[in-house]
Amino acid sequence: MSPDKRPRPKTPKRRAPTAITRRTGDEPYQVVYLRRHADDDPEMSTPGRDFLRGCPDKVRVTMSAVLTQVAASPPHRFSGGGYWEAMHGVMTGYHEIRVGGPGRRHYRLFCLLDNEARGLGPLLVVIAGADKPFRTTFGEDVYADVRRLAEEYKARQPRSLA
């Protein structure tokens, strides 16, 4: 048999590479709002959304813009001139959007980053909001309410969202 006509040895078939999806941490987040579960609140309120809707127009528009920008950045890469801040102490793990409003009032929107929601991508969850006069601090009761709502949220899979 001539060298050109010899049968070639069979090569094993190659398998297509298996896609392994790993989060890089750079994916955009989806902005969602905590919707209280009917077992905890028969009205199924949305404290963060309700607060935001009650804010003065300038504050509401600014907070909404910051939410959109932070989610797209993603949050750990966002440097937004003091609007988006990681919280400390008993509120470690939470973030707040800080906006000054009319009458020298301070408005805060308390958020949580959630990478454990079953079947969903990374979430920027708006938990609740509060406002206070200029140069004052929130009482511990405000922070305790935010933590309680966040624990209520994290206790459910699938998440209770609006």
Side-chain angles (χ1 to χ4, degrees):
M1 207 178 243
S2 72
D4 297 332
K5 303 284 183 184
R6 259 187 270 161
R8 296 192 178 185
K10 291 187 177 182
T11 57
K13 291 185 178 179
R14 290 186 180 175
R15 285 192 230 162
T18 306
I20 298 174
T21 55
R22 288 193 179 106
R23 290 187 30 82
T24 65
D26 292 334
E27 294 85 359
Y29 280 56
Q30 178 183 355
V31 176
V32 295
Y33 294 84
L34 159 70
R35 176 180 301 282
R36 299 200 60 211
H37 192 274
D39 292 345
D40 300 312
D41 176 10
E43 294 180 15
M44 298 177 67
S45 64
T46 54
R49 180 178 276 165
D50 297 342
F51 171 78
L52 195 56
R53 287 179 175 160
C55 288
D57 290 343
K58 175 192 173 282
V59 173
R60 184 177 61 255
V61 167
T62 302
M63 285 185 164
S64 296
V66 172
L67 279 171
T68 301
Q69 292 169 359
V70 168
S73 288
H76 65 279
R77 295 192 186 272
F78 184 77
S79 58
Y83 287 115
W84 174 254
E85 297 289 334
M87 299 181 75
H88 306 283
V90 296
M91 295 301 287
T92 296
Y94 295 86
H95 292 78
E96 65 180 342
I97 294 178
R98 308 167 66 136
V99 177
R104 294 178 66 145
R105 271 196 97 66
H106 293 245
Y107 294 82
R108 303 293 187 257
L109 200 57
F110 301 103
C111 304
L112 183 66
L113 302 177
D114 183 3
N115 292 301
E116 298 174 6
R118 190 179 322 136
L120 300 172
L123 303 175
L124 191 166
V125 186
V126 178
I127 302 293
D131 64 299
K132 63 187 183 76
F134 181 66
R135 291 193 179 188
T136 63
T137 58
F138 288 118
E140 174 53 32
D141 57 327
V142 172
Y143 296 128
D145 285 344
V146 172
R147 290 191 307 271
R148 181 183 49 77
L149 289 169
E151 290 306 315
E152 180 183 307
Y153 165 81
K154 291 188 281 187
R156 299 201 189 292
Q157 283 282 11
R159 302 296 197 208
S160 186
L161 302 170

